[in-house]
Amino acid sequence: RETEKAAMSDANASGPIYTTRMIVRTYEVDGFLHVNNAIFAQYFEAARGDLIRALGLGYAKFHDWSAAPVVTHLVIDYVAAARADDELVIALTLAELKRTLFTIEYDVRRASDDSPIVTGLTRHAFTDPEGRVVRVPNEFRVAVERLQKARNPQ
């Protein structure tokens, strides 16, 4: 995984393309009084949904394109505990955008003190309704590149 992280860091030198916030809800906390580890996969999914809307694309677009991004790889590295009512800041960085896939890195921090909570990544392949891998739709690629340039002008 260290090699994977090193390869990603070269691709995302421009930094996050989107940041969102969420509050830890009490039902996400387990018997050890911290956010259950599985919940962070849901946080990543919610943050991606926010990103899709920020791109000006709704999920209906994927149906129009007959191409949907499916998660092919998920990594979550736990750094510190998050607790009920913590406000979390989730920064998303586009680590790679290739012909048929893209990878997003996540940096989750506690808003009150900027302390790191979790880092991770998701890799997505675009598939058609039959599950065959297809090219990243051009409209998606253009929207991502436009947001990346707006967030990180060079």
Side-chain angles (χ1 to χ4, degrees), residues 2 6 13 17 19 25 27 30-32 43-44 47 54 64 71 88 90-91 95-96 99 112 124 132-133 147 151 154:
E2 292 305 315
I17 63 168
T19 302
R25 295 168 293 254
Y27 60 83
D30 62 20
F32 298 106
Y43 288 171
F44 288 3
D64 294 345
V71 175
L88 302 178
I90 304 174
E96 64 182 344
R99 189 173 66 82
S112 63
H124 307 260
R132 293 182 300 251
V133 175
L147 182 60
R151 299 288 173 139
Q154 302 275 335

Side-chain angles (χ1 to χ4, degrees), residues 27-82:
Y27 60 83
E28 296 167 335
V29 175
D30 62 20
F32 298 106
L33 303 179
H34 58 76
V35 173
N36 181 277
N37 59 357
I39 297 298
F40 286 100
Q42 294 175 5
Y43 288 171
F44 288 3
E45 184 172 5
R48 281 194 313 276
D50 290 349
L51 171 62
I52 294 300
R53 286 182 291 281
L55 292 171
L57 307 171
Y59 279 98
K61 281 288 188 187
F62 297 112
H63 296 286
D64 294 345
W65 300 329
S66 294
V70 296
V71 175
T72 62
H73 189 69
L74 167 66
V75 174
I76 303 173
D77 291 317
Y78 303 94
V79 179

Side-chain angles (χ1 to χ4, degrees), residues 9-25:
S9 66
D10 292 337
N12 66 23
S14 60
I17 63 168
Y18 185 74
T19 302
T20 190
R21 292 173 176 258
M22 57 188 55
I23 304 291
V24 174
R25 295 168 293 254

